[in-house]
Amino acid sequence: MSAIEVTIKELQQYSYQTKRVLASKTLARARLAGGHLSPIKGRGMEFSECRQYQPGDDIRSIDWRITARTGKTYSKLFSEEKERPVYVLLDLSSSMYFGSQYRLKSVQACHLTALLAWATKHKSDRVGGIIIGAFGHKELKPQRQQRGIMQLLSETVTLHNAQLTMSQAERINAADATHVNTENTVPKESLASALTRLRILCKTGSHIMIISDFLNLDDKAQKQLALLKRHNEIEAWQIYDPLELSLPNISGNVRLAVSNGQQQGFISPSNADSRQKYQQHANVKQQALRQIMNRFGIRHHRISSGESLLSQIKGKGK
């Protein structure tokens, strides 16, 4: 498998791993939809058709429009909902194109997208999503079975690899080009804009899985996340690189460039005090993210880009 590129063949391979991986406690706790009770109060029913009123029909089911038009009383018939839409929000923004070992965070995110999508098919739900990156965003309406999955995976491969051919400066310029100079707008590459779109697109009671490093989870994104969680089930899958948590002990006069997205500086991994401060800062950021997810009632999973995805998923099930 490539560490920096994604192929459709690789993502299709996860279809053969789904049954074994679903046995893990991680994905079991994730409740990847299908065969579930809706958390939304109501009948849990979808409109099917109308017929003339019969004795014993619930008067709340009377279709007053047809009744008024025809002069005869008609009742609405409903069928039980047995599936719900599942949305995958895949973050391919600039910070995801980083990796110190094994593979890029963006590549790991694409593989996780495939695994979760195939697991959704196993549960007989519809899958769609939003992919965000320097190109803006791509929306995919939920579709049943393999058609929806293949569309999602195909777009994932195309958009991920297209950004690889762009230089860092080109990715930054593409992202900046999506800015609109008004106070109430956000760049299209941001999590906030994607979450805003999801609020418009997704049906109440949807299952949403966000795959991101969450480095762009600013105040605007948190606000949209809280609003989205009110009527939907949300899972956060955080992709991180080992180097983002701690620095290796490197001897010699080596300096590494570090940035918070706004300012850039340098750090010496050979200095024990510098490594300790770096790790403390990383721990504070991780704790802050966990607190945000706990406050909103969102299940939070962490996946490293420094080792095999399947080994991590299976390992969490032990």
Side-chain angles (χ1 to χ4, degrees), residues 76-95:
K76 295 178 181 178
L77 297 183
F78 297 88
S79 59
E80 183 180 0
E81 288 183 329
K82 295 184 179 179
E83 63 178 22
R84 64 173 167 175
V86 175
Y87 288 86
V88 178
L89 196 170
L90 174 59
D91 182 2
L92 293 181
S93 54
S94 300
S95 63

Side-chain angles (χ1 to χ4, degrees), residues 20 28 40 46 49 53 60 112 117 120 140 142 181 197 248 265 297 301 308:
R20 283 192 296 169
I40 306 303
E46 287 188 330
E49 60 179 324
Y53 177 84
R60 293 175 299 177
L112 179 58
T120 298
L140 302 168
N181 294 323
R197 286 299 303 162
H301 312 283
S308 164

Side-chain angles (χ1 to χ4, degrees), residues 61-181:
S61 299
I62 293 177
D63 191 322
W64 295 107
R65 287 188 177 182
I66 297 181
T67 298
R69 188 171 66 247
T70 63
K72 297 180 180 179
T73 306
Y74 275 79
S75 295
K76 295 178 181 178
L77 297 183
F78 297 88
S79 59
E80 183 180 0
E81 288 183 329
K82 295 184 179 179
E83 63 178 22
R84 64 173 167 175
V86 175
Y87 288 86
V88 178
L89 196 170
L90 174 59
D91 182 2
L92 293 181
S93 54
S94 300
S95 63
M96 293 289 287
Y97 285 80
F98 173 78
S100 63
Q101 52 186 289
Y102 194 68
R103 60 173 49 142
L104 297 179
K105 290 191 294 182
S106 59
V107 173
Q108 191 77 307
C110 292
H111 283 248
L112 179 58
T113 296
L115 178 62
L116 296 178
W118 288 115
T120 298
K121 177 182 180 295
H122 183 75
K123 296 296 184 180
S124 301
D125 277 344
R126 293 173 290 157
V127 63
I130 292 183
I131 307 173
I132 59 173
F135 49 83
H137 69 272
K138 178 71 176 182
E139 299 175 5
L140 302 168
K141 293 182 179 180
Q143 298 185 61
R144 287 181 175 84
Q145 300 300 316
Q146 194 158 325
R147 180 179 179 183
I149 294 176
M150 292 309 300
Q151 183 180 15
L152 174 63
L153 299 187
S154 177
E155 291 291 350
T156 295
V157 170
T158 299
L159 297 175
H160 177 275
N161 293 342
Q163 290 191 123
L164 278 176
T165 63
M166 302 168 63
S167 67
Q168 182 179 10
E170 287 174 329
R171 285 199 295 268
I172 293 175
N173 290 336
D176 289 342
T178 65
H179 283 266
V180 180
N181 294 323

Side-chain angles (χ1 to χ4, degrees), residues 226-285:
L227 293 172
L228 197 59
K229 181 59 176 66
R230 289 181 182 178
H231 305 294
N232 304 280
E233 182 180 3
I234 302 179
E235 302 236 9
W237 293 83
Q238 180 192 2
I239 308 295
Y240 69 92
D241 185 89
L243 193 59
E244 294 174 330
L245 301 184
S246 62
L247 290 175
N249 186 356
I250 302 176
S251 60
N253 187 21
V254 177
R255 294 199 310 164
L256 299 177
V258 294
S259 173
N260 61 2
Q262 298 177 338
Q263 298 176 321
Q264 182 171 315
F266 294 90
I267 191 169
S268 300
S270 60
N271 184 285
D273 186 53
S274 295
R275 293 198 306 273
Q276 183 179 12
K277 289 181 178 179
Y278 182 94
Q279 186 164 353
Q280 288 174 345
H281 179 69
N283 290 340
V284 169
K285 290 177 64 177

